[in-house]
Short mmCIF file of all heavy atoms in Angstrom, two decimals:
data_model
loop_
_atom_site.label_atom_id
_atom_site.label_comp_id
_atom_site.label_asym_id
_atom_site.label_seq_id
_atom_site.Cartn_x
_atom_site.Cartn_y
_atom_site.Cartn_z
N GLY G 483 -19.76 7.60 19.88
CA GLY G 483 -18.64 8.37 20.40
C GLY G 483 -17.29 7.72 20.24
O GLY G 483 -16.27 8.36 20.50
N ALA G 484 -17.25 6.46 19.81
CA ALA G 484 -15.97 5.79 19.61
C ALA G 484 -15.18 6.48 18.49
O ALA G 484 -15.75 6.96 17.51
CB ALA G 484 -16.18 4.32 19.28
N THR G 485 -13.87 6.50 18.66
CA THR G 485 -12.97 7.09 17.67
C THR G 485 -12.24 5.98 16.93
O THR G 485 -11.77 5.02 17.54
CB THR G 485 -11.94 8.02 18.33
OG1 THR G 485 -12.65 9.09 18.98
CG2 THR G 485 -10.98 8.62 17.31
N ILE G 486 -12.13 6.14 15.61
CA ILE G 486 -11.45 5.15 14.76
C ILE G 486 -10.32 5.83 14.00
O ILE G 486 -10.46 6.97 13.54
CB ILE G 486 -12.43 4.51 13.76
CG1 ILE G 486 -13.45 3.63 14.49
CG2 ILE G 486 -11.69 3.69 12.70
CD1 ILE G 486 -14.56 3.15 13.62
N ILE G 487 -9.19 5.16 13.90
CA ILE G 487 -8.09 5.58 13.04
C ILE G 487 -7.75 4.40 12.15
O ILE G 487 -7.55 3.28 12.66
CB ILE G 487 -6.86 6.02 13.84
CG1 ILE G 487 -7.24 7.12 14.85
CG2 ILE G 487 -5.75 6.53 12.92
CD1 ILE G 487 -6.12 7.55 15.76
N CYS G 488 -7.69 4.61 10.83
CA CYS G 488 -7.48 3.48 9.93
C CYS G 488 -6.84 3.94 8.63
O CYS G 488 -6.67 5.14 8.40
CB CYS G 488 -8.78 2.75 9.66
SG CYS G 488 -10.08 3.78 8.94
N SER G 489 -6.51 2.99 7.77
CA SER G 489 -5.75 3.27 6.56
C SER G 489 -6.57 3.95 5.47
O SER G 489 -6.03 4.77 4.72
CB SER G 489 -5.15 1.97 6.00
OG SER G 489 -4.15 1.47 6.85
N GLU G 490 -7.84 3.60 5.34
CA GLU G 490 -8.65 4.15 4.25
C GLU G 490 -10.07 4.46 4.72
O GLU G 490 -10.58 3.81 5.63
CB GLU G 490 -8.72 3.17 3.07
CG GLU G 490 -7.44 2.97 2.31
CD GLU G 490 -7.65 2.08 1.09
OE1 GLU G 490 -8.69 2.23 0.41
OE2 GLU G 490 -6.79 1.23 0.83
N THR G 491 -10.70 5.40 4.04
CA THR G 491 -12.07 5.76 4.39
C THR G 491 -13.06 4.63 4.12
O THR G 491 -14.13 4.61 4.72
CB THR G 491 -12.53 7.02 3.63
OG1 THR G 491 -12.46 6.77 2.22
CG2 THR G 491 -11.65 8.22 3.98
N CYS G 492 -12.72 3.69 3.23
CA CYS G 492 -13.63 2.57 2.99
C CYS G 492 -13.86 1.76 4.26
O CYS G 492 -14.94 1.18 4.44
CB CYS G 492 -13.12 1.68 1.85
SG CYS G 492 -11.58 0.80 2.20
N ALA G 493 -12.86 1.72 5.15
CA ALA G 493 -13.02 1.01 6.42
C ALA G 493 -13.96 1.77 7.35
O ALA G 493 -14.71 1.16 8.13
CB ALA G 493 -11.66 0.79 7.09
N LEU G 494 -13.93 3.11 7.30
CA LEU G 494 -14.89 3.90 8.08
C LEU G 494 -16.30 3.61 7.59
O LEU G 494 -17.23 3.43 8.38
CB LEU G 494 -14.59 5.39 7.94
CG LEU G 494 -13.23 5.88 8.46
CD1 LEU G 494 -13.10 7.38 8.22
CD2 LEU G 494 -13.07 5.58 9.94
#
Side-chain angles (χ1 to χ4, degrees):
T485 299
I486 292 171
I487 305 176
C488 58
S489 292
E490 291 185 41
T491 60
C492 66
L494 298 179

